[in-house]
């Protein structure tokens, strides 16, 4: 499984961004959960939002009410989007896409990070 993330950038506080992550490869059918993690400067990586193959979503408290994660599947490509609204300076960080596999199909995969910078 290969993950290709896109959509980061510089935005003013209060603005919005959309991050996308496309998972491709022969085993995308075995992806159980996809999600976005954030690593802020000097901090550990933390989960921001996830969505499973059934469409169930989870959000970190910091993201609830402001971020929306969604997914779509076209042939062998699973794409996850995260729409981020009312962005705050503290949302700044490198965002990583993650795919966790169903049991027996490997562990997990990470995409390259995409930098989100929110200015005050």
């Amino acid at each position: 499984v290969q993950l290709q993330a896109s959509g980061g950038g510089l935005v003013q506080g209060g603005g919005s961004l959309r991050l996308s992550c496309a998972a491709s490869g022969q085993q995308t059918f075995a992806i159980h959960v996809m999600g976005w993690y954030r690593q802020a400067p000097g901090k550990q990586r933390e989960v921001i939002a996830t969505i499973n193959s059934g469409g169930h979503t989870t959000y970190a408290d910091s993201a609830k009410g402001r971020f929306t994660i969604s997914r779509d599947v076209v042939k062998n490509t699973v794409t996850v989007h995260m729409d981020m609204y009312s962005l705050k300076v503290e949302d700044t960080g490198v965002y990583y896409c993650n795919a966790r596999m169903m049991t027996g199909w490997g562990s997990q995969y990470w995409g390259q990070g995409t930098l989100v910078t929110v200015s005050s």
Side-chain angles (χ1 to χ4, degrees):
V1 174
Q2 297 83 41
L3 301 180
Q4 180 67 45
S6 60
L10 173 65
V11 64
Q12 272 198 324
S16 60
L17 275 177
R18 166 175 266 207
L19 303 184
S20 296
C21 176
S24 60
Q26 297 286 337
Q27 296 182 342
T28 55
F29 67 91
I31 293 175
H32 177 45
V33 181
M34 288 187 70
W36 285 97
Y37 290 67
R38 177 176 68 215
Q39 188 158 20
K43 296 188 177 181
Q44 288 191 328
R45 193 175 297 187
E46 59 177 340
V47 60
I48 300 301
T50 67
I51 185 166
N52 70 13
S53 55
H56 177 70
T57 58
T58 67
Y59 295 93
D61 287 344
S62 62
K64 287 178 182 175
R66 298 189 300 124
F67 295 3
T68 302
I69 191 169
S70 60
R71 70 192 287 268
D72 56 65
V73 180
V74 178
K75 295 185 179 179
N76 283 350
T77 300
V78 181
T79 303
V80 170
H81 306 286
M82 186 165 71
D83 293 298
M84 304 186 293
Y85 302 98
S86 302
L87 283 162
K88 305 175 182 179
V89 171
E90 49 265 42
D91 294 319
T92 294
V94 178
Y95 285 71
Y96 294 91
C97 177
N98 173 272
R100 292 208 309 271
M101 308 302 286
M102 296 178 188
T103 302
W105 291 96
S107 179
Q108 62 180 340
Y109 298 88
W110 291 94
Q112 87 284 10
T114 185
L115 177 62
V116 172
T117 304
V118 184
S119 63
S120 56

